[in-house]
Amino acid sequence: MSTLTLERLNKTYGGNVQAVRGVDLDIADGELIVVVGPSGCGKSTLLRLIAGLEEISDGELCIDGQRVNDSEPAGRDIAMVFQNYALYPHMSVYDNMAYSLKNRRTPKEEIRRRVTETARLLAIDDLLERRPRQLSGGQRQRVAMGRAVVRQPKVFLFDEPLSNLDASLRVQMRQEIRRLQKRLGVTSVYVTHDQVEAMTLADRLVVMNGGRIEQIGTPMTLFNQPATRFVAGFIGSPAMNFIDLAHAEQTPWLPASTPGGALTAGIRPEHLQLVTAGSGDLPGRIEMVEPLGSESLVHVRLGEHDPLLVVRLSGDELPAAEQPTGVAINGPVHLFDSDGRRLP
């Protein structure tokens, strides 16, 4: 059980390439924090700084209030689960899970007890004599998680652990990780580029962009109250629609109190609906319809040079493409200034 504190954490490569910039983050005991963002945003580098696999350029990293900047990875009492599993191919599942305990000279009976209990917890107790090549992707990931669990570390780190699995197995393993983390109560930091994965796992989300933290909060806070246009566009699937307004004060569907000038309006697909052409808030033309079973995504072109709007409908609504339509707004409109900050 541990807390994790990052203060003004920086990582610079080659003297001028800043991969992580001034990150401040307090993680509570037993909390599962998910760090999410696009490729190259610095999230994996941040995880490696916590693990001790990268040297911190500036700032402070503390575990339970103790500064660990200069501690070796083995001295931080952190267990990391990688996306490529990192199992020893010549060892059995049992030996893979027991390896770190043997290095610590843990008594044999204690090793056997921990490995057996953890294997049972992860439903891999019938696989202990197999080699990694004899396992499926999901089984290998369970072994990798088991190897971390048997160490009973202060902190778990997950580096996109599900990215090599197929879609259905990802959903199942997501549930397993959440269940396991809550049962063990271990402070955890989970990195992913998949915002659906992030929303379903996190106690709190950390959205990164360009090495900086854009926003921290619960998944629903970030969904409903995005601080920036970047967060608004990244959190939510399908992504939020954006409409650039050259003269916001001349837009009839905005409140009269809206400040004038150039703003960007953001509207989620579920807050739009199709209406008869010539009515509604926005005129457009249906370009494409994506039937997805439980829902349909309708792509509407407002103007020749405007981006497509995505409208989310129920699965039994399948309008014909290549026809004019009206679009009505039936939910909140988020407004962003020229710097991408959300207006209150």
Side-chain angles (χ1 to χ4, degrees), residues 274-321:
L274 300 185
V275 293
T276 305
S279 62
D281 300 296
L282 300 162
R285 184 175 186 82
I286 298 173
E287 288 210 355
M288 183 176 68
V289 179
E290 293 182 279
L292 302 176
S294 61
E295 64 182 17
S296 299
L297 301 181
V298 181
H299 299 258
V300 177
R301 180 79 69 184
L302 297 183
E304 183 179 353
H305 302 294
D306 294 326
L308 289 170
L309 286 187
V310 178
V311 181
R312 173 182 262 151
L313 305 177
S314 63
D316 56 359
E317 296 181 81
L318 291 172

Side-chain angles (χ1 to χ4, degrees), residues 8 33 37 42 51 54 56 88 97 114 126 139 147 169-170 199 212 254 280 309-310 317 333 337 339 342:
R8 305 178 307 280
I33 289 287
E54 295 278 0
I56 295 170
Y88 296 108
M97 292 175 64
R114 286 202 209 175
D126 59 337
Q139 290 169 335
R147 185 177 55 187
L169 193 53
R170 284 177 73 119
M199 290 282 288
R212 303 180 188 275
L254 290 178
L309 286 187
V310 178
E317 296 181 81
V333 177
D337 63 21
D339 294 323
R342 180 173 173 265

Side-chain angles (χ1 to χ4, degrees), residues 109 113 134-135 138 151 156 162 184 191 217 223 240 270 293:
E109 284 307 310
R113 182 187 67 80
Q134 299 173 300
L135 306 177
R151 289 180 52 191
F156 279 146
L162 308 183
L184 298 175
V191 159
F223 183 83
M240 183 179 284
E270 55 269 28

Side-chain angles (χ1 to χ4, degrees), residues 223-297:
F223 183 83
N224 292 319
Q225 301 168 32
T228 66
R229 175 172 173 166
F230 177 84
V231 174
F234 195 83
I235 298 298
S237 180
M240 183 179 284
N241 296 294
F242 294 108
I243 304 172
D244 290 328
L245 308 172
H247 302 285
E249 67 274 18
Q250 300 175 15
T251 305
W253 42 268
L254 290 178
S257 59
T258 301
L263 300 175
T264 300
I267 310 168
R268 296 213 176 271
E270 55 269 28
H271 295 148
L272 296 172
Q273 67 181 80
L274 300 185
V275 293
T276 305
S279 62
D281 300 296
L282 300 162
R285 184 175 186 82
I286 298 173
E287 288 210 355
M288 183 176 68
V289 179
E290 293 182 279
L292 302 176
S294 61
E295 64 182 17
S296 299
L297 301 181

Side-chain angles (χ1 to χ4, degrees), residues 9 20 28 37 53 55 59 105 135 192 194:
L9 214 63
V20 174
L53 302 177
E55 185 178 346
R105 301 186 183 280
L135 306 177
T192 181
D194 185 330

